Amino acid sequence: MACTSEFGAQLGTEGTLIQAAIGSPVAFVTIANAYDWTMPTKANTVETTNFCDAWIRRFPTLLDMGNITFKVYFIPLEPTHNNTATSTTTGLRYLMLNKILTSFKIVYPDGSNTSDIFPAYVTDVSIDGKVGDVFHGSIQLSNNGAPTVIA
């Protein structure tokens, strides 16, 4: 049995896209300058330990994507970052301030357009700037329902 996946030993992150669905009909628009993506998938658990158990028992219940986060090199006038909505794009700040449930899509750079799609609210847009650096935005998404994830 081979110890390396038949699909390769690794997949670089260059070319990964984070997209948000906008407009009618819906189209996915790539969020500019995104980096440092984290998408946890976990199960909440309940303890089911019995009196006679020497070890704690846990049982998985509800599934949760946790805090989905990414960062952007923040540009105030960038349409995918700011507080505007047009027919072609909607900004992250606009989605947060107006509490709009949006479908997000992660497109992996595997040459097959493989993607994860999930409904979420933008629940945090934090901007920071340091001397000798550029502006960064930290974005948090909170999912609302079942995702469509890679099999």
Side-chain angles (χ1 to χ4, degrees):
M1 183 168 152
C3 65
T4 302
S5 168
E6 63 184 90
F7 299 107
Q10 68 278 324
L11 177 63
T13 60
E14 181 182 0
T16 301
L17 302 176
I18 302 173
Q19 300 179 327
I22 60 100
S24 180
V26 171
F28 282 96
V29 174
T30 300
I31 297 170
N33 302 345
Y35 68 100
D36 284 355
W37 171 256
T38 302
M39 186 175 74
T41 306
K42 59 184 181 177
N44 290 337
T45 59
V46 293
E47 187 178 322
T48 58
T49 307
N50 296 309
F51 285 128
C52 63
D53 288 331
W55 289 86
I56 291 177
R57 294 178 187 260
R58 291 183 181 88
F59 182 79
T61 59
L62 296 174
L63 299 175
D64 185 9
M65 293 180 74
N67 292 324
I68 305 152
T69 61
F70 63 96
K71 294 184 178 185
V72 295
Y73 294 110
F74 183 74
I75 307 293
L77 295 177
E78 166 55 43
T80 60
H81 296 179
N82 65 21
N83 184 23
T84 60
T86 67
S87 61
T88 58
T89 192
T90 302
L92 293 166
R93 285 173 142 182
Y94 182 88
L95 293 171
M96 185 195 71
L97 294 171
N98 292 282
K99 302 175 186 173
I100 298 172
L101 181 63
T102 305
S103 289
F104 287 87
K105 182 178 185 179
I106 306 307
V107 182
Y108 296 96
D110 62 358
S112 298
N113 204 31
T114 306
S115 59
D116 290 331
I117 301 173
F118 57 92
Y121 290 97
V122 177
T123 51
D124 188 357
V125 176
S126 300
I127 300 164
D128 69 85
K130 299 175 186 165
V131 173
D133 198 356
V134 298
F135 283 99
H136 299 263
S138 297
I139 313 302
Q140 179 176 295
L141 308 176
S142 296
N143 84 296
N144 184 15
T148 302
V149 294
I150 299 168

